[in-house]
Amino acid sequence: MIIDCHGHYTTAPPQHDAWRKSQLAEFGEGRPAPEYPAISDDEIRESIEQNQLRLLRERGADMTIFSPRASAMAHHEGDERTSIEWARACNNLIARVVGLFPETFIGVCQLPQSPGAPLTASVAELERCVSELGFVGCNLNPDPSGGRWTSPPLTDKYWYPIFEKMTELDVPAMVHVSSSCNPNFHATGAHYINADTTAFMQFIQGDLFADFPDLRLVIPHGGGAVPYHWGRYRGLADMLHKPPLTEHVMGNVFFDTCVYHQPGIDLLLQVISTDNILFGSEMVGAVRGIDPQTGHYFDDTKRYVDAAPISDSERGKVYSANTRRVYPRLDKALRARGL
Amino acid sequence: MIIDCHGHYTTAPPQHDAWRKSQLAEFGEGRPAPEYPAISDDEIRESIEQNQLRLLRERGADMTIFSPRASAMAHHEGDERTSIEWARACNNLIARVVGLFPETFIGVCQLPQSPGAPLTASVAELERCVSELGFVGCNLNPDPSGGRWTSPPLTDKYWYPIFEKMTELDVPAMVHVSSSCNPNFHATGAHYINADTTAFMQFIQGDLFADFPDLRLVIPHGGGAVPYHWGRYRGLADMLHKPPLTEHVMGNVFFDTCVYHQPGIDLLLQVISTDNILFGSEMVGAVRGIDPQTGHYFDDTKRYVDAAPISDSERGKVYSANTRRVYPRLDKALRARGL
């Protein structure tokens, strides 16, 4: 079984994004959000069948841990109220996708974060999504200011309420920023990768996992710059008088395989224990074209993992065993189906 | 001949940093800077002989392109006036090192950048350092706000005066941030690497090298996350309807080898043309310890380059030919010595 841990609903019916646009426009005028539009099951079905489902089948994966479009979370727009409404709308739409394709998709939620706001609403939405909608995790934005980086580091007590709720529900988070309103940072080319690198370094500096020994965090996009600079991070942990990274961080942190060329995936699998790597493609996502060097889609990461010089047992961990361990509610759902 | 393109004077005599501290303290009180302290040639000699020079000899490199301590540039502290004074003091000290060890060191200057200030003072200081002190390049900080990222991207016309002066003088810049006042970003573990990645993505998005076809920029720390995510960057260039990276960016952009483990260096040399890679160690710098896995210093990057599966002719490019091409004033100085 092959589970893609990183898929976003980037192809939602246009009414959904149009509603968000109106919501923000009304917010700008000091008015409440308009009513959420009707979206038919057929529209949702079509948006999935022609995109994610088609590509999953073509590429040979079995299911996707599915969450709202990350770049559209835009926690820096509007305020806490608009973030709460938008997160509910996005998560409800994911629940409908899962309801229509229960064998292929399982939900991960967007949180209603807002710069400077406490995480109370995020805790409540996570509880709702897990308990009522059957979701198995969440996306946590380490920079709800969208490239201004005004929140405290992830190791700060500001974040503890969400980590406590995650621990209580036994669900992980993917640490995933959204779009950038800072012209220095291209969203998928700089802000995403920088956030991954930044989060990892925060975990080295802090002692978060002493306080939350069961917390599990997935750093997407192959861990940002971290595996390429693994020597630097091992050395910095040493300079900061921290235990080796394997003990200090890697019991709780996992990287996905959203690295879009063979040498990158090879390095990832060479440097990082295969116990810490989850298959992911970020599909349909950041890079949609075909690599002229290979004739295949850049984000067809399964090809790279298949070609990497690791054993079948290691590949099995990356393709499903690790993911089932990191997302125990997914594992439970699969077991209930005899898988 | 082996030239290290990336060395900082991190071991300057203590009076130098003490003066900076007083300068900023006086600035806080609205007072002018104190007089710069006396530093003897012997003190400078000792600070170099026991550190950079010893390590260069032990590791088998011949010379270093030497610049002031990057983390101490701190353009976000004080104001434009204090930055001008501090850059002059730092650059004059580098000139003294070069004067004492002319066969081993050649200077690259710190620029007196200040958040929001025009680049007039930086242009003047670059001119002074190249014309009067014999320097061969500069360090350009893409984020003088120190982790707040308030300046426009490097492709913005704000930066053009310094690029014009660099072109006129035929000197390159290393794109190098300083310390971070944003608690999210550890300086050497996040801010440095993020800035490298960010700058590269800005070059993809913009068309800077159409306006400055002869401009040369070195992105340190192995290009940040870029080589590891080379497929992503090739794909993003395609999505942005830009020419292939080899044409669009890589005629003007170079990466150093400050990547502190063998698999990282191997990836760099596999993915990026050896015409675009300059040997560097960032020594004595970011990571000072010994790798328990190898028994050697993390930042002894020559060991990794020596062990990488490339030809001797490629290694020759990385060790000196590329660096002499990117820094033509260094090449001229070496030729004058018959080298």
Side-chain angles (χ1 to χ4, degrees):
Chain A
M1 176 163 212
I2 298 180
I3 305 165
D4 186 334
C5 78
H6 188 177
H8 299 297
Y9 195 10
T10 49
T11 58
Q15 305 94 298
H16 178 68
D17 287 331
W19 179 81
R20 168 64 165 172
K21 217 169 161 179
S22 324
Q23 182 216 26
L24 291 175
E26 296 295 329
F27 169 80
E29 302 294 327
R31 290 194 292 258
E35 206 181 335
Y36 189 78
I39 299 177
S40 71
D41 282 356
D42 278 350
E43 285 173 289
I44 294 175
R45 223 177 257 120
E46 192 182 11
S47 75
I48 292 287
E49 278 173 352
Q50 296 185 359
N51 295 293
Q52 287 83 358
L53 195 63
R54 174 180 60 80
L55 290 168
L56 270 177
R57 284 180 181 150
E58 283 175 15
R59 299 179 185 183
D62 299 295
M63 72 177 298
T64 294
I65 299 178
F66 207 49
S67 63
R69 181 177 206 150
S71 64
M73 298 190 297
H75 297 114
H76 57 280
E77 299 201 61
D79 65 0
E80 190 184 15
R81 191 259 299 165
T82 59
S83 275
I84 291 173
E85 294 166 351
W86 178 229
R88 284 185 73 98
C90 290
N91 294 331
N92 289 346
L93 199 60
I94 293 292
R96 289 184 65 192
V97 171
V98 174
L100 291 169
F101 303 95
E103 292 182 7
T104 311
F105 296 97
I106 197 154
V108 149
C109 66
Q110 167 178 333
L111 298 175
Q113 298 175 242
S114 190
L119 289 164
T120 321
S122 293
V123 167
E125 180 65 1
L126 177 61
E127 172 92 53
R128 180 182 84 91
C129 288
V130 173
S131 306
E132 297 176 24
L133 306 182
F135 284 21
V136 299
C138 60
N139 288 336
L140 182 65
N141 184 346
D143 173 29
S145 71
R148 297 291 172 199
W149 288 94
T150 55
S151 291
L154 287 171
T155 50
D156 189 274
K157 293 220 156 44
Y158 167 78
W159 300 95
Y160 277 30
I162 195 74
F163 296 146
E164 284 160 7
K165 181 55 71 176
M166 286 167 55
T167 303
E168 178 199 319
L169 297 170
D170 201 15
V171 297
M174 181 173 278
V175 178
H176 203 310
V177 287
S178 184
S179 55
S180 156
C181 62
N182 186 327
N184 281 287
F185 304 130
H186 183 273
T188 52
H191 192 41
Y192 282 21
I193 307 294
N194 291 351
D196 305 334
T197 310
T198 299
F200 190 84
M201 190 63 214
Q202 291 175 0
F203 301 144
I204 295 180
Q205 287 180 271
D207 278 304
L208 183 62
F209 307 118
D211 284 351
F212 294 98
D214 297 324
L215 192 66
R216 298 177 303 283
L217 297 166
V218 180
I219 299 187
H221 321 108
V226 172
Y228 175 50
H229 285 287
W230 195 235
R232 173 175 290 255
Y233 292 103
R234 289 195 293 109
L236 284 170
D238 180 57
M239 279 176 81
L240 294 168
H241 307 295
K242 300 294 184 182
L245 293 181
T246 43
E247 297 164 33
H248 182 49
V249 176
M250 298 310 280
N252 304 80
V253 168
F254 304 85
F255 299 152
D256 75 11
T257 64
C258 296
V259 177
Y260 296 154
H261 64 150
Q262 190 69 49
I265 290 287
D266 289 348
L267 174 101
L268 171 66
L269 291 166
Q270 179 186 358
V271 166
I272 305 298
S273 165
T274 44
D275 291 333
N276 290 83
I277 300 174
L278 313 185
F279 174 66
S281 73
E282 204 183 356
M283 178 265 289
V284 182
V287 176
R288 302 184 183 212
I290 288 174
D291 186 346
Q293 291 182 10
T294 65
H296 298 286
Y297 283 101
F298 281 108
D299 67 359
D300 187 356
T301 52
K302 182 169 169 293
R303 299 187 71 89
Y304 313 132
V305 175
D306 281 341
I310 55 172
S311 70
D312 284 347
S313 121
E314 290 176 305
R315 224 180 313 274
K317 287 186 195 174
V318 172
Y319 277 146
S320 84
N322 294 340
T323 310
R324 294 175 71 146
R325 180 163 49 87
V326 172
Y327 294 80
R329 286 174 180 264
L330 164 64
D331 183 59
K332 200 176 158 199
L334 292 174
R335 281 180 197 277
R337 288 186 228 153
L339 294 167
Chain B
M1 176 164 210
I2 297 179
I3 305 165
D4 185 334
C5 79
H6 188 176
H8 299 296
Y9 195 11
T10 48
T11 58
Q15 306 93 298
H16 178 68
D17 288 330
W19 179 81
R20 168 65 165 173
K21 216 169 162 181
S22 324
Q23 182 216 26
L24 290 175
E26 296 293 330
F27 169 80
E29 303 293 326
R31 290 194 293 259
E35 207 182 335
Y36 190 77
I39 300 177
S40 71
D41 282 355
D42 278 350
E43 286 173 288
I44 295 175
R45 223 178 258 120
E46 191 182 11
S47 75
I48 292 288
E49 278 174 353
Q50 296 185 359
N51 294 294
Q52 288 82 359
L53 195 63
R54 175 179 61 80
L55 290 168
L56 270 177
R57 284 180 181 150
E58 283 176 14
R59 299 180 184 182
D62 299 294
M63 72 177 300
T64 294
I65 299 178
F66 207 49
S67 63
R69 181 176 206 151
S71 63
M73 298 189 298
H75 296 115
H76 56 281
E77 299 202 60
D79 65 1
E80 190 183 18
R81 190 260 298 165
T82 59
S83 274
I84 291 172
E85 295 166 353
W86 178 228
R88 285 185 71 99
C90 290
N91 294 331
N92 289 345
L93 198 61
I94 293 292
R96 290 185 63 192
V97 172
V98 174
L100 291 168
F101 302 95
E103 292 182 8
T104 311
F105 296 97
I106 198 155
V108 148
C109 65
Q110 168 178 335
L111 298 175
Q113 298 175 243
S114 191
L119 289 164
T120 322
S122 294
V123 167
E125 180 65 1
L126 177 61
E127 172 91 53
R128 182 183 82 92
C129 289
V130 173
S131 306
E132 297 176 24
L133 306 181
F135 284 21
V136 299
C138 59
N139 288 336
L140 181 66
N141 185 346
D143 173 30
S145 70
R148 298 289 172 199
W149 289 94
T150 56
S151 290
L154 288 171
T155 49
D156 188 274
K157 293 220 155 43
Y158 167 77
W159 301 94
Y160 276 30
I162 195 75
F163 295 146
E164 284 160 8
K165 182 53 74 176
M166 286 166 55
T167 304
E168 177 199 320
L169 296 170
D170 201 14
V171 297
M174 180 172 279
V175 179
H176 204 309
V177 287
S178 184
S179 55
S180 156
C181 62
N182 185 328
N184 281 287
F185 305 130
H186 183 273
T188 52
H191 193 41
Y192 282 21
I193 307 294
N194 291 351
D196 305 334
T197 309
T198 299
F200 190 83
M201 189 63 213
Q202 291 174 1
F203 300 145
I204 294 181
Q205 287 180 271
D207 278 304
L208 182 62
F209 307 118
D211 283 351
F212 294 98
D214 297 323
L215 191 67
R216 297 178 303 283
L217 297 166
V218 180
I219 299 187
H221 322 107
V226 172
Y228 175 50
H229 285 287
W230 194 235
R232 174 175 289 256
Y233 291 103
R234 289 195 291 109
L236 285 171
D238 180 57
M239 279 177 81
L240 295 168
H241 308 293
K242 300 293 185 183
L245 292 180
T246 42
E247 298 164 32
H248 182 50
V249 175
M250 299 309 280
N252 304 80
V253 168
F254 305 84
F255 299 152
D256 75 12
T257 64
C258 295
V259 177
Y260 297 154
H261 63 150
Q262 190 68 50
I265 289 288
D266 289 347
L267 174 100
L268 171 67
L269 291 166
Q270 180 186 355
V271 166
I272 305 298
S273 164
T274 44
D275 290 334
N276 290 83
I277 301 173
L278 313 185
F279 174 67
S281 73
E282 204 185 355
M283 178 264 289
V284 183
V287 176
R288 301 185 184 211
I290 288 174
D291 185 346
Q293 291 183 9
T294 65
H296 299 288
Y297 283 101
F298 281 108
D299 67 359
D300 186 357
T301 54
K302 182 169 169 293
R303 299 186 72 89
Y304 313 132
V305 175
D306 281 341
I310 55 172
S311 70
D312 284 348
S313 123
E314 290 176 305
R315 223 179 314 274
K317 288 186 195 176
V318 172
Y319 276 146
S320 84
N322 294 339
T323 310
R324 293 175 72 146
R325 181 163 48 87
V326 172
Y327 295 79
R329 285 174 180 266
L330 164 64
D331 183 59
K332 199 175 158 199
L334 291 174
R335 282 179 196 279
R337 287 186 230 153
L339 295 167

